């Protein structure tokens, strides 16, 4: 290796000695020795807060309010420098590993790069495009979730359609667990980019955090004119500019160019092609998708192995969302004829994927598909869903989470996928007619997520249909459904007795005085997760019934109740040995002293109690 570097440096010096004057050579040499840099005048630095929240993957809040929503990230700080749990901040939907441990969570995709940590994202638009010099994020509660900051070349406020959209990583890191939940101003050292930007994207991973991370504001600092810094630490020579003659090259590196004695050259693949086909396939199964594509270009043998459809039964393109295009899908199309699980989440936005490219890929590769993840795919339209319904007859899992730009009429095509077992419609515009049609025909549903689906007019009717048609339902997410009453809940739990997970968080129309929560506990003996978040009426009798009837309970969220005492919680903890998560934040009868006492009794249970300053 040292010999090769010496050869290259020798060639560079000879090239420079022919093309440069003695004065230029001396100047370059002095600059290298002193490590100096020539700095030209730069523009005045601009500081600006986010003008608008453009897109995001999830949030804790409602679509119809500002509390705990991503829209709070626009503008100046609302909370900072205060620390704690405040409704005026931006909060993502999940934290920790609790959700990954639930039965409703899909298994991870193989070949996901080890360096891809992102679970959620938010995109922010700023007033003026600048060349970034710094990005500052105000984290007010449980910081450490940010794992990547990106900049985009497209101006989101221009009227022109996006063309040649580029994303550049300004900073990336691993998920961290900060020792204290106190507020901080996070400003990592960022990379300099070659284009101005007024569109930033923050990607987060909250898996190591003990509670929800809260973000208050984002500052973008930068200059309007590109900084011109001439750095002379080492002479930069374009290798394509070397035009040395064959005579000069013959002075050095002869053996490397000639390859040695011809009688010792190997024309085959050594012993590698003598390995069993299945063993080579097993070795290649550990490569990431880009590495597999690169290896395919090395030789005919490995090209054959790398293009084998058995290597592409699972395909996660989410880590490559910034580079995926119609051409990318076209390149992979011939390899994915046996594709079973496909993750296109976050891909295709701003014109990167079109109906033509998506349809062509699905028609060629959709026949064997059983799982399709398409969270935050804003290129989707009704024609795309029609293609899915026509080309994927065996589809069992479909995730359209946060595809909030799909027209309500588009969801009617899902009812043609009669083998569906898992359907995620979180934050979509699905309406009552479409969901009732889906429930009529998709009777094999096991997992259904209707969280924050605000256009469904009557959840009691939906609950009644679920009880009648989907009796094998295992998990149901009704987070922030505004009109489910005790009548609908009673009918639901009476018909769907196989339920293990039920999220009724922020459902204000349910009242404990009707006995609906006690009936729930008696009807669902297999219950493992129950969220009654922000229901002020949950009381001791409800908790005691859960303790008596649901011994398998693992996750319970009763944030915000005023009527639960320490005594009933002690009974619950004694009766539910599998309990691992209990959220009692803002429960007026449960103070930190009680939390510490209960934690001492059951140290294996994570008892959550948020605070404000």
């Amino acid at each position: 290796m040292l010999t090769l570097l010496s050869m290259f440096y020798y060639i560079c010096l000879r090239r420079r000695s022919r093309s440069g004057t003695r004065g230029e050579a001396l100047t370059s040499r002095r600059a290298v020795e002193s490590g100096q840099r020539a700095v030209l005048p730069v523009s005045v630095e601009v500081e600006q807060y986010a003008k608008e929240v453009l897109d995001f993957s999830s949030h804790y809040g409602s679509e119809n309010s500002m509390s705990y929503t991503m829209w709070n990230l626009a503008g100046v700080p609302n909370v900072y420098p205060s620390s704690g749990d405040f409704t005026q901040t931006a909060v993502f939907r999940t934290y920790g590993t609790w959700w990954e441990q639930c039965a409703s969570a899909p298994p991870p995709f193989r070949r996901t790069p080890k360096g891809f940590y992102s679970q959620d994202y938010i995109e922010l638009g700023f007033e003026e495009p600048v060349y970034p010099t710094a990005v500052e994020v105000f984290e007010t509660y449980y910081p450490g979730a940010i794992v990547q900051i990106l900049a985009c070349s497209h101006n989101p406020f221009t009227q022109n359609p996006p063309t040649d959209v580029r994303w550049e990583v300004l900073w990336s890191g691993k998920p961290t667990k900060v020792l204290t939940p106190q507020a901080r101003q996070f400003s990592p050292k960022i990379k300099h980019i070659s284009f101005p930007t007024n569109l930033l994207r923050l990607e987060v991973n909250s898996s190591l955090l003990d509670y929800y991370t809260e973000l208050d504001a984002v500052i973008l600092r930068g200059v309007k004119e590109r900084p011109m810094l001439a750095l002379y630490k080492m002479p930069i020579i374009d290798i394509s500019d070397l035009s040395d003659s064959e005579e000069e090259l013959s002075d050095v590196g002869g053996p490397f160019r000639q390859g040695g004695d011809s009688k010792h050259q190997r024309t085959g693949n050594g012993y590698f092609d003598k390995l069993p086909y299945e063993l080579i396939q097993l070795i290649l199964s550990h490569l990431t998708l880009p590495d597999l594509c690169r290896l395919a270009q090395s030789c005919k043998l490995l090209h054959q192995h790398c293009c084998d459809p058995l290597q592409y039964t699972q395909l996660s393109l989410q880590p490559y969302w910034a580079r995926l295009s119609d051409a990318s899908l076209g390149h992979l199309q011939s390899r994915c004829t046996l594709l079973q699980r496909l993750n296109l989440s976050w891909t295709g936005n701003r014109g990167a994927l079109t109906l033509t490219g998506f349809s062509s890929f699905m028609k060629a590769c959709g026949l064997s598909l059983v799982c399709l993840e398409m969270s935050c795919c804003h290129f989707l339209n009704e024609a795309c869903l029609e293609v899915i319904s026509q080309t994927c007859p065996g589809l069992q899992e479909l995730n359209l989470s946060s595809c909030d730009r799909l027209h309500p009429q588009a969801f009617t095509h899902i009812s043609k996928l009669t083998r569906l077992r898992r359907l995620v419609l979180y934050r979509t515009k699905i309406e009552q007619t479409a969901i009732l049609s889906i429930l009529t025909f998709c009777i094999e549903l096991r997992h259904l997520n209707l969280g924050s689906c605000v256009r469904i007019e009557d959840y009691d009717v939906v609950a009644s249909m679920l009880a009648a048609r989907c009796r094998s339902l295992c998990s149901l997410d009704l987070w922030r459904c505004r009109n489910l009453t005790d009548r609908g809940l009673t009918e639901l739990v009476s018909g769907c007795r196989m339920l293990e997970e039920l999220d009724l968080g922020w459902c204000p129309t349910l009242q404990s005085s009707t006995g609906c929560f006690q009936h729930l506990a008696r009807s669902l003996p297999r219950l493992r997760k129950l969220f009654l978040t922000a229901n002020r009426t949950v009381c001791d009798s409800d908790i005691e019934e859960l303790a008596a009837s649901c011994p398998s309970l693992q996750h319970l969220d009763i944030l915000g109740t005023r009527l639960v005492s320490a005594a009933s919680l002690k009974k619950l903890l004694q009766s539910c040995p599998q309990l691992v998560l209990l959220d009692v934040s803002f429960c007026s009868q449960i103070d930190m002293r009680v939390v510490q006492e209960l934690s001492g009794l059951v140290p294996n249970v994570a008892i959550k109690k948020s605070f404000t300053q």
Side-chain angles (χ1 to χ4, degrees), residues 154-290:
H154 173 62
N155 186 339
F157 303 120
T158 184
Q159 299 300 319
N160 301 324
T163 56
D164 191 26
V165 177
R166 291 173 54 199
W167 285 93
E168 287 284 347
V169 176
L170 298 180
W171 173 87
S172 64
K174 295 181 179 180
T176 58
K177 182 176 181 180
V178 180
L179 297 179
T180 172
Q182 302 296 324
R184 74 171 184 178
Q185 194 168 338
F186 180 59
S187 182
K189 183 178 180 181
I190 65 172
K191 167 189 171 185
H192 294 288
I193 57 176
S194 60
F195 56 83
T197 183
N198 61 340
L199 171 52
L200 294 184
R201 176 178 172 120
L202 309 183
E203 296 186 352
V204 304
N205 181 315
S206 303
S207 62
L208 298 184
L209 302 186
D210 290 329
Y211 208 58
Y212 298 96
T213 189
E214 299 190 8
L215 310 178
D216 192 18
V218 177
I219 291 178
L220 170 61
R221 298 183 190 274
V223 293
K224 293 186 178 181
E225 296 181 12
R226 184 176 181 181
M228 302 296 292
L229 298 179
L231 189 61
Y232 289 113
K233 289 187 177 179
M234 179 173 288
I236 300 175
I237 300 174
D238 187 355
I239 193 168
S240 63
D241 189 45
L242 295 178
S243 57
D244 299 88
S245 64
E246 286 296 324
E247 180 181 358
E248 290 177 314
L249 288 177
S250 64
D251 295 339
V252 292
F256 296 96
R257 190 176 66 256
Q258 298 297 332
D261 192 343
S262 60
K263 69 180 181 181
H264 295 296
Q265 292 181 359
R266 293 178 179 176
T267 57
N269 297 299
Y271 295 100
F272 197 79
D273 53 357
K274 295 184 179 180
L275 292 174
Y277 191 91
E278 296 80 5
L279 181 57
I280 299 177
Q281 287 287 295
L282 177 62
I283 294 171
L284 298 187
S285 68
H286 295 280
L287 295 178
T288 63
L289 181 61

Side-chain angles (χ1 to χ4, degrees), residues 15 22 159 167 175 258 276 358 411 416 441 455 482:
R15 174 63 177 172
R22 176 177 174 81
Q159 299 300 319
W167 285 93
Q258 298 297 332
F358 176 75
F411 296 95
K416 303 171 188 176
F441 295 100
R455 295 206 175 193
R482 306 294 297 179

Side-chain angles (χ1 to χ4, degrees), residues 317-356:
L317 297 175
Q318 182 181 6
Y320 318 106
W321 63 266
R323 306 194 300 271
L324 194 72
S325 64
D326 284 349
S328 308
L329 290 184
H331 177 74
L332 292 168
Q333 188 168 299
S334 62
R335 309 181 185 195
C336 297
T337 53
L338 300 180
L339 186 62
Q340 297 178 8
R341 301 184 70 222
L342 174 63
N343 184 2
L344 286 174
S345 294
W346 302 3
T347 65
N349 299 335
R350 296 183 176 86
L353 289 182
T354 65
L355 172 62
T356 302

